[in-house]
Amino acid sequence: MSAEPDQPPAVATRLTIATRDLGARTVGADEIITFPLGLAGFGQCRRYVLLAYPQPAPLLCLQSVDREQVAFVVTDPAKVVADYQPRAINGAMSALKITDPQDLLVLVILTIPPGHPEQTTANLQGPLVINTHLRRGKQLILEDSRYSLKHRLSV
Amino acid sequence: MLILTRKIGESLIIGDQIRITVLEVRGRQVRLGVQAPGDVVVLREELVQRLAEENLAAAAFRYQDVEEIISSWKPKTVNER
């Protein structure tokens, strides 16, 4: 793994990105979150931004900056299950150099079967762990049998 | 691929800090022990494949379904937790 700086990248610029469903969006370059290893199955997409949907919602859009068509619907795991405490989060915090717990952001990806939103599931086995200060993240793969790849939501 | 043969109880050492030991063989199953530093991720291969497949399925959502979820999401009240 190449040495990553421990300071957040110094940026003041804004850029306009094309999104999958939300048109063109202008974001600060300091909003870009880098996943050095990408997400499983999407290794070439390393840079993402978190976008709000037009309507107020407990969901966010994780939009790839590298590929317009790649985006994920994500949410706070606390909205899905009480007390989400995978053991592996601690190791991920040190790997991502998170020293202040307030810099830790954990998100889970929702799978919405096309045409069947009532069957939406949350991926509790592959959470996204993000250092919001350094704007760096990784997707964990949990060997923890408490948490399912397809956790049914009660929407 | 490097191919080596081990008997039960024998080990492989990978790099400086990883040891894999054959603990038991029972029928078609091999039980392995892995000693590695805490920051080394050790996973059953099929988990990585399954995660990639789930991410691919998740990326195939229809935006109109997201809109429907948002419009019908009922916020949890304290009592419902």
Side-chain angles (χ1 to χ4, degrees), chain B residues 6-71:
Chain B
R6 305 277 64 201
K7 299 193 186 70
I8 295 173
E10 293 182 336
S11 299
L12 295 175
I13 302 210
I14 298 175
D16 297 330
Q17 299 183 289
I18 299 171
R19 173 194 267 127
I20 304 181
T21 305
V22 180
L23 298 174
E24 186 184 353
V25 174
R26 195 186 298 179
R28 298 170 66 91
Q29 288 197 325
V30 180
R31 176 171 265 187
L32 299 169
V34 180
Q35 290 167 280
D39 60 341
V40 173
V41 178
V42 180
L43 295 169
R44 288 172 289 137
E45 181 180 35
E46 60 272 21
L47 289 190
V48 183
Q49 180 60 27
R50 283 174 50 199
L51 180 65
E53 287 167 2
E54 191 65 25
N55 283 347
L56 280 156
F61 66 92
R62 293 188 328 174
Y63 183 55
Q64 64 200 85
D65 293 327
V66 178
E67 292 178 307
E68 181 167 334
I69 288 173
I70 291 173
S71 61

Side-chain angles (χ1 to χ4, degrees), chain A residues 1 19 22 36 41 48 50 61 69-70 77-78 84 93 98 115 118 124 132 138:
Chain A
M1 182 106 154
T19 69
L22 304 175
Y48 290 85
L50 277 170
C61 175
Q69 285 307 307
V70 174
Y84 183 62
M93 285 179 70
I98 297 174
E118 74 285 355
L124 300 183
T132 57
K138 65 186 299 194

Side-chain angles (χ1 to χ4, degrees), chain A residues 111-154:
Chain A
T111 301
I112 306 171
H116 292 281
E118 74 285 355
Q119 292 174 17
T120 295
T121 56
N123 182 349
L124 300 183
Q125 206 182 91
L128 306 177
V129 183
I130 296 168
N131 178 338
T132 57
H133 178 58
L134 295 182
R135 296 189 289 280
R136 198 184 299 163
K138 65 186 299 194
Q139 182 172 34
L140 298 191
I141 308 179
L142 301 183
E143 273 269 12
D144 191 333
S145 58
R146 287 179 294 168
Y147 297 120
S148 164
L149 203 60
K150 290 179 185 289
H151 178 93
R152 288 292 296 265
L153 305 187
S154 43

Side-chain angles (χ1 to χ4, degrees), chain A residues 36-89:
Chain A
L37 302 176
L39 271 55
F42 292 87
Q44 293 87 13
C45 297
R46 310 260 166 89
R47 301 182 307 156
Y48 290 85
V49 289
L50 277 170
L51 301 175
Y53 285 105
Q55 317 86 326
L59 307 174
L60 289 172
C61 175
L62 184 73
Q63 170 69 50
S64 168
V65 173
D66 304 315
R67 298 257 169 99
E68 174 182 340
Q69 285 307 307
V70 174
F72 298 93
V73 181
V74 297
T75 191
D76 173 2
K79 299 209 165 28
V80 173
V81 65
D83 197 36
Y84 183 62
Q85 306 263 26
R87 289 177 275 264
I89 296 255

